Amino acid sequence: MVDPLIPGTLNVLILQALSRGAMHGYGISKWIVEHSRDVFRAEEGVLYPALHRLERDGCLEAEWGQNETGRRAKFYTLTSKGKERLEAETERWRRSSRALDAALGIGEP
Amino acid sequence: VNRESWWEKQYRRVLRVPDPKRELDEELAFHLQMKASDLERAGLSPREAEAEAKRLFGSLDEVHSTCSAVDRGTVRRRRRRTFLEGARQDLVYGLRSLWRTPWLSLMAVVALAVGIGATTAAWSVVNGVLLRLPVVDPDRVVELNEIWEDLSVGYNAPRNLEDYAEVTEVFERLAPFYADARSPVLLERNGARSLVASLFASSDLLPILGVEPAMGRWFAPEEDRLGAPPVAVVSHEFWMTELGGTPDVLGTAVTLGVDNWADLPVEMRPADYEPGYHYQSFTVVGVLPSDFELPPLPFAGAHGELGRSATLESGLFVDRPDVLLPYGLYTFFRDRRGFLQVRALGLLRAGVDAERGEEMLNRLAPGIEQSTLQLTTVRAIQREVYGNRLTRLAIAAVFLLLVSCASVAGILLARGSRRERECAVRASLGAGRMRLIRQLLTETGLIALGGCLAGIALAHWSTMFLASLAPGPGSLAEAGLVDGTVLAGALAVSLLALLLAGLVPAVHAVRPDLYAALSAGAATPSRSRRRLLNWIMVTQLATSTSLLVGTGLLCRSLLQVSRVDPGLRVDNITTVRLELLPPGASEYASLAEANAFLSDLVRRLKELPDVVDVQQVAVQSRSFWDRGYVVPYGTTTGPDAEPTVIPEIFEQRVTPGYFSLLSIRLRAGRTFTADDDARGKRSPPVLINESMARRHWPDGGAIGSEMRWGGVLSQGPFPHVVGIVEDVRFPSLDAEPPNQIYYAIQGGFNYFPPKVELLIETRTDPELQLGALRNALGGSDMTEPRVGPVEPLRAILHEALAPRRYQALLAGVAAATTLLIALLGLFGAISYSVARQTRETGMRKALGAPTATIVRSVVGEGMRLTLLGLALGMLGSRILTRVIQSELYGIGTLDPATYVSVGLTMLVTACLASYFPARRAGRLDPAAALRSD
């Protein structure tokens, strides 16, 4: 079962994906599916504009390199600005999700 | 809407920025392919996989257009960041790279600064003097002078001027004006009296100049006549300092003392008059503008430049008067046609030029049988007085600017050639072409910035210096300001030269054939580039040769001049000038009392233990060495002989011991005896100098000749020559001695206001005695009498040589800088060529060529360039020396000693500059050389 993304989560997921190292767009989309335990799926129509926006805002840097099969691919890496943004967003999501849990009466009492 | 513009496209192409659209295509295609291959792995057929991947992706076009829009923002951001980052890098890198060759960079800055500074200064002064006049229409304003057949010296007789003003076919207006240096106007304030610079001016003067008073009004015609109520117009400065600068000055009264006899008809004057002052209250009716001055009007009789400058400096003419009084209030010998002391400026009628006006005036003016009238426009006078000197200055400055631009260009090109490989390497590593050009231009820009700032500072100082060198009062001193337009021009020319010089190596260095540049060690040196470099080398060597020749000639001239015998003793002699206010203004009631004071002072000076002797020179002009008035004489050897005319004779009145004190030797006849006194005598004995005797009595017979003077009305007997003394060249050692005549006086004041110059001989260095002398001259209270500077003759002589020393120094600095630049360039060029031929040299060594042969061939290459430069430079120096020809003394422009020593200097230094790279070539290890790139 694959759900569409909760609005506003895509950026933080991209940043989180890249926090381990450089990745190309396809890799990121796969990472999101795998690491959300197959719950989320980033649609391409949303993912690529988001990547380019993050690049424009200086959170990501893009460089052309080769993937494992030797094909030319555009790899994204986090910039220091991107890392800061990841931290800030993560914190925000942590707070929001706790608040949501509490409101819905789930998790720790 | 958001399309890439043509400019953006070009920018991207030049900077090799990738096309974001194509990249986006590739990125999305990659995604689809990866997805397809994953699906294939999951069991779909390739075709199905591809279709499924596309389906899953959704609208490719939509994603594409959204991303493109975002990318545009990315490109803009990145471009801005790259530019700023690039500029910062360029700056840091540029500074570091300039610092790597500090001397070369410094020299470029200095060369630029000198060029800009000197040119701006010279042209500012030229502009301030030649092209600007305090007159609205300098081509219509003329000075009028009567030239008398018997060479009476002066300007115009007042009675005649009244006649000339009637010639309305020529003059729209004619304004007489008169300044009396012998009995100046005195200002009385609170019981104290002082001299004021004053001018008696006709009511037509200001309208002729085209000047309006800043406040109040100018004289009305009815105020400009005998018996009118006395009014005055004052200068801005006088208003500020003496009248408090308040706006209610108009209508206030100032008390001025005017010499009694100015308004007395001549027959009412006592035969043995002494000036006396009567004081009167003048109503101030106007204040002049702060920049008011009369046009520079030197003595403009039928005499040469010598006469002009002497009179210009003599203070007989006030060009910045503080108080102006109506000319018509006084008679000024108005009844006489022989009193030639009144000057006149006229405004020519429209359509009449000076030449035609002069012709008409001489035809139409009544009563001019004995004289010719001369009209000279203010502009022509000015050009004549300052013209030569300023033209030379201007030409020299332009020459200097060109040389400095060439030097800077040479330095930049030499730097450029060194950087060629570095640039090639950077280009091969992917640096954009524009980026490299920008880098090189940044360095040029840094040099330009430094050079311009230093140049502006230098321009400021040099302009003040040049203005302070200028002779005479008035506009030249005012011109001591940097002219903004001129400065802008000099900066523009230099920057243009710099830009070109910076761009050539930049474009060269980043040209596309990287391979050729990278494999410079191989046998493919770019021939055109080396030829260009060689020509620049030769040009620089030639320029420095020319400059060295110029410097050499100036230095040799300086040496020659300083060896000239001044004809008088300068050691242990001091001069001091004393000046008293006229009797009536000072505590001395009469000249007799003033003279009693003076002889007491001389006695006290002589009693000082270190003082040997004191002699006096009557001061008619500024100083005793200014040689007094220029007086035309007619001379005769017999009572009935037709006089020979000597138009220019400087006269000086000295006490009889003057010649022995200054060790001026007697050449023939007798010197003055202790009781010779010319005062009041019609036929006193006079001495003349050697040059005058040689010029006018080449066959001898000067002694016994009569010296006629005094114009039409004078009658004999006249002064007669009793002796010939040695020429005095002081303080200008290099000037041809003028005709000089000496009268004997018995000391004391002779003229008004009473002035005298004392010559004091001391036993020891007068510098040590200055304090004692000053004390004897009146202690701390210097107000009465006014004591001028106490100056040892040696110091005056030293001071007089200062312009020459400065000139030689400037030329020397320019020549040394250029030579150093040229030698560095030569060194660079030879090193460059040695480096390029490393492999070839290695081969020759391997084949057994001895070190000496290799060194010789490399040095030979340098010498070939040097000889060519030397030859061209010697030819070029023919042009340069023509500019400085008039500054040379005692040597010709082809002075062999100068040429030989310049040639040797060039050869030896060039030899050394090529020897060091040659030695490196000679020491090459053949094996290593052959292995090298």
Side-chain angles (χ1 to χ4, degrees):
Chain A
M1 176 63 207
V2 174
D3 281 347
L5 280 177
I6 297 172
T9 51
L10 181 57
N11 282 346
V12 73
L13 287 174
I14 291 174
L15 293 171
Q16 177 65 25
L18 290 175
S19 64
R20 311 277 146 78
M23 269 188 193
H24 45 68
Y26 184 69
I28 296 170
S29 74
K30 270 171 73 176
W31 186 92
I32 292 175
V33 175
E34 281 161 20
H35 287 77
S36 64
R37 300 180 194 125
D38 287 347
V39 172
F40 294 146
R41 182 178 111 72
E43 282 169 35
E44 287 83 347
V46 186
L47 174 69
Y48 279 95
L51 277 173
H52 282 241
R53 250 178 237 118
L54 285 170
E55 184 188 357
R56 183 194 61 196
D57 297 344
C59 294
L60 302 186
E61 243 169 24
E63 215 176 342
W64 286 85
Q66 289 180 339
N67 76 344
E68 56 277 10
T69 61
R71 284 190 48 112
R72 234 170 84 81
K74 191 178 178 187
F75 283 88
Y76 293 90
T77 43
L78 274 191
T79 60
S80 52
K81 193 174 167 193
K83 280 177 194 147
E84 277 167 30
R85 176 140 174 209
L86 174 62
E87 268 169 41
E89 298 257 314
T90 312
E91 179 55 34
R92 196 164 69 81
W93 274 107
R94 189 168 293 142
R95 260 184 304 155
S96 305
S97 101
R98 274 205 205 114
L100 196 62
D101 287 353
L104 298 178
I106 47 180
E108 294 155 36
Chain B
V1 185
N2 227 345
R3 295 281 301 272
E4 184 178 52
S5 77
W6 184 85
W7 281 110
E8 283 174 320
K9 195 166 173 181
Q10 299 312 311
Y11 176 84
R12 191 164 53 67
R13 270 181 51 184
V14 174
L15 285 188
R16 295 177 185 165
V17 171
D19 181 354
K21 280 216 168 96
R22 200 167 296 159
E23 293 203 328
L24 182 59
D25 285 341
E26 205 180 336
E27 186 181 18
L28 297 181
F30 173 79
H31 181 100
L32 290 176
Q33 275 174 7
M34 292 302 285
K35 184 81 191 168
S37 57
D38 275 356
L39 291 169
E40 227 175 297
R41 224 169 289 137
L44 270 70
S45 76
R47 183 166 302 175
E48 283 168 342
E50 198 177 320
E52 178 64 7
K54 273 195 180 148
R55 196 191 58 78
L56 283 172
F57 195 94
S59 168
L60 194 62
D61 284 346
E62 199 176 303
V63 172
H64 198 287
S65 74
T66 317
C67 287
S68 282
V70 175
D71 283 351
R72 224 171 290 290
T74 314
V75 168
R76 256 196 301 278
R77 266 180 70 103
R78 191 179 295 151
R79 197 184 304 156
R80 197 160 48 231
R81 216 179 48 217
T82 318
F83 180 80
L84 288 177
E85 175 58 19
R88 198 188 64 84
Q89 267 179 18
D90 283 345
L91 210 62
V92 171
Y93 192 82
L95 282 173
R96 205 181 296 153
S97 137
L98 289 177
W99 184 245
R100 260 204 302 275
T101 52
W103 291 110
L104 223 50
S105 313
L106 187 68
M107 241 177 302
V109 169
V110 168
L112 196 60
V114 168
I116 292 174
T119 312
T120 307
W123 276 92
S124 293
V125 173
V126 170
N127 213 10
V129 173
L130 257 195
L131 311 176
R132 220 167 274 158
L133 274 166
V135 175
V136 168
D137 198 346
D139 297 305
R140 267 179 77 201
V141 176
V142 289
E143 185 178 27
L144 169 65
N145 279 290
E146 296 180 21
I147 311 295
W148 287 61
E149 274 164 23
D150 69 341
L151 290 161
S152 293
V153 69
Y155 310 111
N156 305 282
R159 178 74 185 80
N160 296 347
L161 281 174
E162 290 173 18
D163 293 339
Y164 305 150
E166 302 293 313
V167 188
T168 50
E169 294 90 338
V170 177
F171 294 118
E172 207 170 289
R173 290 164 184 273
L174 184 65
F177 57 98
Y178 174 64
D180 192 340
R182 293 197 186 187
S183 47
V185 171
L186 299 175
L187 170 73
E188 189 178 60
R189 279 179 75 78
N190 310 325
R193 289 160 181 183
S194 55
L195 293 171
V196 283
S198 58
L199 189 75
F200 296 97
S202 146
S203 56
D204 281 317
L205 186 66
L206 248 56
I208 287 178
L209 298 178
V211 176
E212 294 277 340
M215 274 168 63
R217 59 176 180 83
W218 179 239
F219 307 137
E222 59 273 17
E223 285 165 333
D224 187 20
R225 55 184 160 76
L226 287 171
V231 291
V233 169
V234 298
S235 72
H236 185 267
E237 201 187 332
F238 186 83
W239 170 51
M240 293 304 285
T241 55
E242 298 287 338
L243 302 178
T246 52
D248 57 353
V249 64
L250 299 177
T252 59
V254 285
T255 307
L256 297 172
V258 178
D259 190 357
N260 272 327
W261 46 271
D263 56 359
L264 280 180
V266 69
E267 53 281 358
M268 288 173 66
R269 252 170 244 139
D272 189 24
Y273 68 84
E274 226 177 55
Y277 281 81
H278 81 268
Y279 290 85
Q280 204 176 349
S281 175
F282 286 75
T283 310
V284 176
V285 294
V287 178
L288 292 172
S290 58
D291 59 351
F292 175 80
E293 65 178 328
L294 289 169
L297 298 176
F299 178 85
H303 309 295
E305 202 161 328
L306 209 55
R308 291 177 195 287
S309 57
T311 315
L312 187 69
E313 287 174 352
S314 71
L316 274 179
F317 179 64
V318 183
D319 66 349
R320 300 200 67 148
D322 274 331
V323 172
L324 292 96
L325 307 174
Y327 167 82
L329 274 180
Y330 302 93
T331 59
F332 301 119
F333 305 90
R334 190 162 298 195
D335 48 332
R336 283 179 61 173
R337 290 189 183 269
F339 173 77
L340 301 178
Q341 294 301 318
V342 178
R343 309 192 77 158
L345 282 178
L347 183 66
L348 290 175
R349 196 155 279 291
V352 178
D353 64 5
E355 203 178 328
R356 203 163 134 246
E358 190 174 292
E359 182 268 320
M360 285 163 73
L361 190 62
N362 280 302
R363 196 155 34 84
L364 300 170
I368 54 161
E369 292 79 27
Q370 284 176 308
S371 59
T372 316
L373 302 179
Q374 193 182 48
L375 294 182
T376 325
T377 64
V378 173
R379 195 192 289 288
I381 293 171
Q382 193 184 35
R383 201 169 288 152
E384 200 175 330
V385 177
Y386 299 116
N388 281 340
R389 180 184 280 176
L390 292 175
T391 313
R392 207 158 58 222
L393 194 65
I395 292 173
V398 168
F399 190 81
L400 193 62
L401 182 65
L402 291 181
V403 168
S404 89
C405 285
S407 300
V408 178
I411 296 172
L412 290 177
L413 288 174
R415 279 178 55 90
S417 79
R418 286 185 176 187
R419 308 286 300 283
E420 190 172 276
R421 256 186 97 169
E422 177 201 328
C423 286
V425 169
R426 289 183 62 198
S428 74
L429 292 179
R433 205 179 307 171
M434 279 309 279
R435 189 78 179 66
L436 283 180
I437 292 182
R438 219 172 74 189
Q439 169 63 52
L440 290 176
L441 285 182
T442 307
E443 282 171 37
T444 313
L446 284 171
I447 289 178
L449 187 70
C452 288
L453 289 181
I456 290 168
L458 198 65
H460 178 66
W461 290 320
S462 331
T463 309
M464 290 201 299
F465 178 79
L466 281 178
S468 72
L469 278 189
S475 50
L476 258 183
E478 293 301 300
L481 285 172
V482 173
D483 189 304
T485 326
V486 170
L487 180 64
L491 286 179
V493 170
S494 318
L495 291 183
L496 191 67
L498 260 182
L499 189 70
L500 289 178
L503 210 54
V504 168
V507 170
H508 251 285
V510 298
R511 74 200 186 289
D513 57 335
L514 294 175
Y515 176 76
L518 276 176
S519 57
T524 52
S526 78
R527 241 164 223 292
S528 69
R529 174 155 187 76
R530 272 193 61 190
R531 205 172 302 142
L532 177 68
L533 204 63
N534 281 351
W535 273 112
I536 289 167
M537 268 331 305
V538 169
T539 315
Q540 285 204 51
L541 288 167
T543 312
S544 41
T545 304
S546 299
L547 282 175
L548 274 180
V549 168
T551 310
L553 291 174
L554 288 176
C555 288
R556 290 256 302 149
S557 298
L558 177 65
L559 208 64
Q560 295 278 341
V561 171
S562 57
R563 279 196 199 128
V564 167
D565 177 9
L568 52 75
R569 197 177 63 156
V570 292
D571 290 316
N572 297 355
I573 294 175
T574 303
T575 72
V576 66
R577 189 177 147 178
L578 299 177
E579 183 173 341
L580 266 62
L581 287 180
S586 63
E587 58 190 80
Y588 308 104
S590 67
L591 265 191
E593 264 182 56
N595 280 331
F597 160 78
L598 181 62
S599 43
D600 179 56
L601 177 68
V602 170
R603 189 183 47 75
R604 272 190 289 133
L605 280 172
K606 279 183 177 170
E607 278 168 6
L608 285 179
D610 251 322
V611 171
V612 182
D613 192 10
V614 178
Q615 295 293 332
Q616 299 176 35
V617 181
V619 178
Q620 294 157 311
S621 63
R622 209 179 53 179
S623 228
F624 92 94
W625 61 81
D626 282 337
R627 301 161 198 277
Y629 284 113
V630 189
V631 180
Y633 282 84
T635 68
T636 52
T637 39
D640 302 318
E642 192 64 21
T644 326
V645 171
I646 304 177
E648 270 180 1
I649 303 182
F650 290 88
E651 56 172 67
Q652 222 168 48
R653 290 155 198 277
V654 299
T655 45
Y658 177 84
F659 299 97
S660 70
L661 184 141
L662 288 174
S663 308
I664 300 173
R665 283 179 286 269
L666 183 71
R667 292 298 193 208
R670 70 165 177 92
T671 184
F672 293 136
T673 57
D675 49 357
D676 273 333
D677 191 355
R679 248 180 309 178
K681 294 209 177 70
R682 299 239 42 148
S683 178
V686 295
L687 299 178
I688 61 172
N689 68 345
E690 248 181 312
S691 284
M692 177 167 163
R694 199 182 50 246
R695 275 182 214 126
H696 297 284
W697 290 272
D699 309 319
I703 291 175
S705 294
E706 270 190 339
M707 309 295 288
R708 297 190 171 186
W709 63 281
V712 272
L713 299 175
S714 66
Q715 278 154 17
F718 292 106
H720 60 282
V721 178
V722 296
I724 299 168
V725 293
E726 192 182 4
D727 284 335
V728 170
R729 292 177 170 85
F730 184 89
S732 335
L733 293 168
D734 48 352
E736 195 54 29
N739 299 325
Q740 178 88 43
I741 183 168
Y742 297 96
Y743 288 87
I745 52 167
Q746 285 300 320
F749 297 111
N750 292 270
Y751 291 91
F752 311 103
K755 291 179 198 170
V756 76
E757 186 131 347
L758 300 181
L759 291 171
I760 304 165
E761 181 185 357
T762 51
R763 275 191 187 83
T764 51
D765 185 355
E767 297 276 0
L768 306 171
Q769 311 299 328
L770 290 182
L773 291 178
R774 282 205 162 276
N775 280 339
L777 286 165
S780 55
D781 181 21
M782 292 283 185
T783 53
E784 185 71 40
R786 294 194 293 177
V787 179
V790 182
E791 289 179 298
L793 289 200
R794 172 135 328 266
I796 295 170
L797 197 61
H798 187 76
E799 189 69 18
L801 282 175
R804 249 180 209 287
R805 270 197 306 270
Y806 178 72
Q807 218 169 30
L809 184 75
L810 269 192
V813 168
T817 314
T818 325
L819 179 64
L820 203 55
I821 292 164
L823 290 178
L824 277 174
L826 187 66
F827 179 85
I830 302 287
S831 307
Y832 182 62
S833 113
V834 164
R836 286 198 147 162
Q837 294 168 14
T838 304
R839 203 183 277 185
E840 186 197 325
T841 312
M843 189 86 80
R844 286 174 65 192
K845 277 206 93 167
L847 291 176
T851 304
T853 314
I854 288 169
V855 170
R856 219 171 12 244
S857 79
V858 175
V859 171
E861 190 189 337
M863 293 324 267
R864 264 197 306 282
L865 291 178
T866 310
L867 282 175
L868 190 57
L870 200 56
L872 289 175
M874 298 263 175
L875 284 178
S877 64
R878 300 293 300 141
I879 302 167
L880 177 66
T881 50
R882 199 157 303 153
V883 177
I884 59 168
Q885 195 160 22
S886 57
E887 304 295 322
L888 300 186
Y889 183 85
I891 49 167
T893 51
L894 280 172
D895 182 47
T898 305
Y899 276 83
V900 168
S901 50
V902 167
L904 282 178
T905 311
M906 290 299 293
L907 287 177
V908 169
T909 49
C911 198
L912 280 176
S914 0
Y915 174 71
F916 289 102
R919 199 177 56 173
R920 209 180 324 139
R923 281 186 188 156
L924 268 182
D925 171 13
L930 286 172
R931 266 202 312 276
S932 82
D933 54 3

